[in-house]
Amino acid sequence: MQKILPLLRDPASKTSFHLEGDHLISENGQKYPIINGLPRLLTPTKTAEEEKVRQMMQKFYEQFTFPGYDGIDSPGILMDKAGKSGFGKWVDEAISPFATVLEVGCGTGQMTNFLGLTQTRTVIGVDQSIASLTLGKGFRDRFGLHNVHFLQGNIFAMPIKENSMDVVICSGVLHHTPDPKGGYLELLKLVKPASPEQGRRGGKILIGLYNTYARIPLGIRKMIFTSTGNAFSSLDAHMRRKDVDQSKKEIWFVDQYKNPHENWHSVDEVLGWFDQSNVKYLSGVPDIAGKIPGEEAGMKLFEEHPRGSAFTHVLKQLGWMFTIGREGGLFVMIGEKK
Ligand SMILES: C[S@@+](CC[C@H](N)C(=O)[O-])C[C@H]1O[C@@H](n2cnc3c(N)ncnc32)[C@H](O)[C@@H]1O
C-alpha cells in the first residue's frame, strides 16, 4: 500500500493520502478504511440518477463476479488463457516491464494479475464490486504478486492522481454505465501526457466496448431466451464450448443476457471520442483497417495502424457479427494521449 500511496488521491477532495493503521487519511481529514486488505475508496457518481444505475450494477456484480475464476488457479493457467485469446498476450507484449498500469472495472482481476506476473510493473485494479476484488486479491496473495494492488473505487470519482499512469485499461465496463463517454474522459485524465522535452510518448488508453453491429445476433438470441424462459441457451456459441467450466458459462450467460444495463458502440463513435480529446488512434482489436508489417504472429498494439474510412468501418463491423459476435461482440480501441 505504501508503495502506491503517491499514486492515490481522495476521490472527494482530490487531495493526497497518508496511511494511519488501517485507514487512508486525506489532507482534509477524510478517512477511508482498508478492510481485508482492500481500500474502500468508493464514492458516489455525480448525479443521483447516474448513481442509481451504478448501485444497481454494483449489486449485480457483487452477486455475479465476472469473469468467472473457476479453474484459474495458477499463473500458468492465466498465461495460457491470455495466449489463447491473443488480446491479453498482445497487451502484455506492448506494455513496458517498468510501466505503471491501471485496470478500471477489473472485475475479478484476471487481467490485472496477469499483467502483474511481470513483477517489475506496478499494476492497480479498481472495481466497485468487493466480491470480485476479493477473488482477484486472493489470487494475488496466493502467488505473492506484491506489485499488484486492488482498490474499491468508482470510474466517475477515481481515487487515482491525474497524469500518473503509463497505461489505463477499461474493457467491458463503460457500456454498463449511463455515461460511457464521460467515463472515458475521466479515465483519460489519469493517463500521462506526452513529454517531447523528455522524448517521452504519451500514455496509452485501451477501451473495450460492446459493438453495435457485432452484438445484433446476441440481441436476437436475447429476445428468444427471454420469450422462452432461457430454453435454447445452446444457441450461444460460448455456451456450447467444451473447454469452459459450467460455472463460468453460467456467469457468462447472466452477464451477457441478464445484465441490467448496457449500451452498444461503434468504431467511429470511439474514434470521435479520441479526436475530440487529443488522443491519437493507434490500433483496434479486431483491426479496423488492416494490419501493419510484422504482425503475422500477433498485433503490435502500441504502433500506429491505418484508420480506414467510415464506409470500410461499416463493412468491417458487419463482418464482426460472425466473428467476435460469437463471443459477446467486444471490440477494443487503443489510443495515445498527445
Ligand atoms: C463485465 S465486467 C468486466 C470485467 C473485466 N474488465 C473483464 O473484461 O473481464 C464489468 C465490471 O465493471 C465494474 N463496474 C461497472 N461500473 C463501474 C463503476 N462505475 N465503477 C467501478 N467499476 C464498475 C463491475 O463491477 C464489473 O466488475
Side-chain angles (χ1 to χ4, degrees), residues 162-180:
E162 292 187 4
N163 302 324
S164 64
M165 294 291 141
D166 295 308
V167 180
V168 172
I169 302 170
C170 184
S171 183
V173 183
L174 290 172
H175 50 231
H176 293 307
T177 72
D179 181 13

Side-chain angles (χ1 to χ4, degrees), residues 88-230:
K89 184 168 166 277
W90 303 332
V91 173
D92 188 44
E93 285 168 357
I95 299 178
S96 147
F98 303 103
T100 302
V101 183
L102 171 70
E103 192 193 2
V104 186
C106 64
T108 56
Q110 292 180 19
M111 178 65 113
T112 304
N113 278 324
F114 168 65
L115 295 175
L117 293 176
T118 300
Q119 297 208 8
T120 41
R121 287 183 189 137
T122 299
V123 189
I124 303 176
V126 174
D127 202 282
Q128 60 187 355
S129 158
I130 290 292
S132 299
L133 290 167
T134 301
L135 286 170
K137 186 180 169 293
F139 185 97
R140 178 213 100 116
D141 291 346
R142 272 199 305 288
F143 297 102
L145 304 178
H146 302 298
N147 55 323
V148 174
H149 307 267
F150 289 101
L151 318 170
Q152 188 191 29
N154 177 1
I155 294 166
F156 296 92
M158 283 296 288
I160 302 285
K161 286 202 178 136
E162 292 187 4
N163 302 324
S164 64
M165 294 291 141
D166 295 308
V167 180
V168 172
I169 302 170
C170 184
S171 183
V173 183
L174 290 172
H175 50 231
H176 293 307
T177 72
D179 181 13
K181 183 180 177 190
Y184 156 76
L185 292 172
E186 284 304 313
L187 299 182
L188 184 60
K189 289 180 191 164
L190 314 180
V191 178
K192 283 183 190 164
S195 169
E197 309 80 50
Q198 294 170 8
R200 195 187 69 213
R201 283 174 67 182
K204 314 293 184 286
I205 186 158
L206 290 77
I207 299 292
L209 295 167
Y210 286 153
N211 183 260
T212 309
Y213 299 78
R215 214 146 159 91
I216 290 171
L218 191 143
I220 295 169
R221 286 195 297 272
K222 188 171 178 170
M223 284 193 283
I224 298 173
F225 299 156
T226 308
S227 57
T228 60
N230 302 333

